[in-house]
Amino acid sequence: MTAPRWTQWIRPQDIVWLVLFAGMAALSPGLDADAAEFPLSPWSKSGFFWLILLGAAQIAEPKVSFRNPTAGKVFWIGLKLVLGYFLIGYTGALVSPYFFIFLLPVVSAATLLNAGWTLLFTLLACGSYLSFVLFIDFSQYTIEPDQVRELLLRLLFLAVAGNLANILAQALREQSANYKAAAEQLAEANRQLQQAEAAVRRSDRLAALGQLSAGLAHELRNPLGTIKASAEMLTASVSRENDVSREMAGFISSEVDRTNSLVTRFLEFARPLQLRFAPTDLSQVIDQAAMLVERDNGTARVNFRKEYGANLSSIPLDAELMERVFYNLLLNAAQASPAGSQVTVRTWRTNGTAVSEVIDHGSGIEPKNRETIFNPFFTTKPEGVGLGLAIVAKIVDEHGGKIAVESEPGQGSIFRVTLPASRKA
């Protein structure tokens, strides 16, 4: 349930400010024209007019935004200083009961700005108050020593109030910054926890489906061998004039080969990986994968733009398996991108990890499919099996790394592989 629209303009603090300024106006002592340092008008004899302006400025300050927040704060504090100056000037100057109104700009500067601005507005407030000395006719009046002491005490009181308010505000700002940093750390930890949970779920699914695939593949191998041998015997026994039978036998043999290839892929997916770690140049692995993609997919399909970082020449990994990872990622990116477009491969090293990105300009991935694209047998390709990215994720996981995807429909996709840059013995 949303708050009423009027609450954006009228807040409880505004009612409090109205009551406070109305009380000051009601308790304002009347002054004769001779008691003021400036010419008096009917509106300003009791300072009522200036109190209205000050109250309006105080209430309007949080409601009017500036493109530069600091400039906006300086404007409102300066405006309150000017209005307070005229209020004091029209209500007795040095003897005005509204002397403490200078606390409004000083404390505002202390709470909203840093120590430098606080010092500046404190000096301006003190200087403004001292300027009323220039309006005294010393041929008729004198300032006694005890009055000088009181004047200096008032100025010191302004400085003390401003300094204390700035110390308290600075402590609150530091505490707020600590809370913000803690909130950001919690958000990052929560994001990493969600990624870890997704990785665990994916690993569980991979393990279960791997076992199922291994059992199913072994069970299929024997009947496929029998069907293959039967098809070959049928081809040999059928007369050359019987074209239909020979063609059907050929279909059986080719489909058995295709099914057997699929079973082999199932077994590769289910088989535990035996990684052979060695210091490897990651750039060379990606270059080799890109060459294979260009050979298999056609050199005119896409252009590969390579942006390799430094210090990636001795990353501990299994070069053969990681070449397979980047082959799949680059092939998918090339197939997803329009002909003649560009696929970018970017690598860099940071915080003990080697990061690689494959960026395409294809149609992107639907949000509902982003978490499931690494699941086995999930595919959006008409002729796809759905094991390519599943095997990629398995290889990256076995290396102790992470794989993630960022994608927007119609904007392309970014596949990011993060690998440890060093490996403990």
Side-chain angles (χ1 to χ4, degrees):
M1 183 176 180
T2 58
R5 191 175 183 84
W6 61 268
T7 57
Q8 301 177 5
W9 295 97
I10 301 177
R11 306 179 304 167
Q13 300 93 317
D14 299 338
I15 306 300
V16 175
W17 282 120
L18 284 173
V19 171
L20 293 176
F21 279 99
M24 284 192 289
L27 297 175
S28 175
L31 295 175
D32 297 330
D34 295 336
E37 298 299 340
F38 303 136
L40 292 174
S41 67
W43 274 99
S44 58
K45 287 183 179 180
S46 64
F48 182 75
F49 173 70
W50 302 106
L51 284 170
I52 291 177
L53 293 181
L54 263 173
Q58 186 64 37
I59 293 173
E61 180 179 1
K63 297 177 175 59
V64 180
S65 60
F66 283 71
R67 181 172 298 178
N68 186 332
T70 301
K73 295 172 184 177
V74 171
F75 168 79
W76 285 111
I77 296 171
L79 178 62
K80 287 185 281 188
L81 180 63
V82 172
L83 294 176
Y85 180 78
F86 281 104
L87 172 63
I88 295 173
Y90 276 113
T91 56
L94 291 176
V95 296
S96 171
Y98 291 111
F99 153 73
F100 292 108
I101 208 69
F102 273 144
L103 285 173
L104 197 60
V106 170
V107 173
S108 296
T111 54
L112 299 177
L113 300 171
N114 57 29
W117 284 107
T118 302
L119 177 61
L120 175 62
F121 278 105
T122 300
L123 293 175
L124 288 175
C126 293
S128 299
Y129 189 63
L130 282 176
S131 68
F132 292 121
V133 175
L134 302 176
F135 295 94
I136 297 177
D137 186 358
F138 285 100
S139 63
Q140 298 181 10
Y141 302 98
T142 58
I143 301 179
E144 301 298 330
D146 57 338
Q147 293 175 326
V148 173
R149 284 196 299 272
E150 182 179 354
L151 177 62
L152 294 177
L153 283 173
R154 290 188 175 189
L155 299 179
L156 289 173
F157 178 78
L158 278 177
V160 168
N163 186 56
L164 177 61
N166 182 256
I167 291 174
L168 296 176
Q170 182 63 30
L172 289 175
R173 282 192 286 266
E174 291 177 356
Q175 190 175 26
S176 177
N178 292 335
Y179 287 152
K180 183 178 179 181
E184 292 175 351
Q185 291 177 356
L186 287 174
E188 177 63 20
N190 185 53
R191 185 184 65 82
Q192 293 180 356
L193 179 61
Q194 291 176 347
Q195 291 180 348
E197 290 177 347
V200 170
R201 290 195 300 269
R202 186 170 68 243
S203 297
D204 290 342
R205 289 193 293 265
L206 290 175
L209 289 170
Q211 293 176 358
L212 176 63
S213 300
L216 182 62
H218 283 298
E219 292 297 327
L220 288 175
R221 274 285 171 86
N222 291 332
L224 284 176
T226 302
I227 295 172
K228 174 75 170 177
S230 300
E232 291 176 350
M233 292 178 61
L234 180 62
T235 303
S237 61
V238 173
S239 63
R240 295 185 178 276
E241 291 78 13
N242 195 342
D243 294 336
V244 175
S245 297
R246 296 179 66 84
E247 185 179 8
M248 292 299 103
F251 286 158
I252 293 173
S253 181
S254 62
E255 289 301 311
V256 166
D257 290 339
R258 191 174 70 87
T259 305
N260 196 43
S261 176
L262 182 59
V263 169
T264 302
R265 295 183 65 183
F266 285 169
L267 286 174
E268 289 177 353
F269 167 71
R271 185 183 299 118
L273 297 176
Q274 299 295 328
L275 276 68
R276 295 184 294 272
F277 287 97
T280 307
D281 190 332
L282 185 60
S283 303
Q284 292 182 0
V285 172
I286 298 175
D287 286 340
Q288 182 64 25
M291 288 175 56
L292 294 176
V293 172
E294 290 176 346
R295 182 198 67 187
D296 298 341
N297 202 49
T299 55
R301 175 69 185 179
V302 296
N303 298 315
F304 288 119
R305 178 182 178 182
K306 301 170 184 177
E307 300 176 359
Y308 295 153
N311 301 323
L312 295 172
S313 58
S314 58
I315 306 301
L317 50 84
D318 187 312
E320 182 179 349
L321 291 176
M322 288 309 302
E323 180 183 307
R324 187 172 180 180
V325 166
F326 287 106
Y327 174 83
N328 276 278
L329 295 179
L330 293 172
L331 181 62
N332 288 345
Q335 292 176 346
S337 300
S341 62
Q342 188 175 79
V343 171
T344 302
V345 185
R346 184 180 298 137
T347 63
W348 69 92
R349 183 167 179 162
T350 177
N351 298 328
T353 60
V355 185
S356 308
E357 287 185 344
V358 177
I359 306 169
D360 66 59
H361 301 282
S363 58
I365 302 170
E366 294 293 333
K368 62 181 180 181
N369 295 334
R370 286 177 200 157
E371 188 177 346
T372 57
I373 59 173
F374 297 108
N375 290 346
F377 316 120
F378 175 84
T379 181
T380 58
K381 299 177 181 179
E383 299 179 356
V385 179
L387 284 176
L389 287 179
I391 294 174
V392 164
K394 182 177 180 180
I395 294 173
V396 173
D397 287 343
E398 290 292 333
H399 277 77
K402 298 178 182 178
I403 184 168
V405 60
E406 297 178 7
S407 182
E408 292 293 335
Q411 302 296 322
S413 304
I414 301 175
F415 282 84
R416 184 179 299 108
V417 176
T418 304
L419 299 171
S422 60
R423 184 173 177 83
K424 295 181 180 179

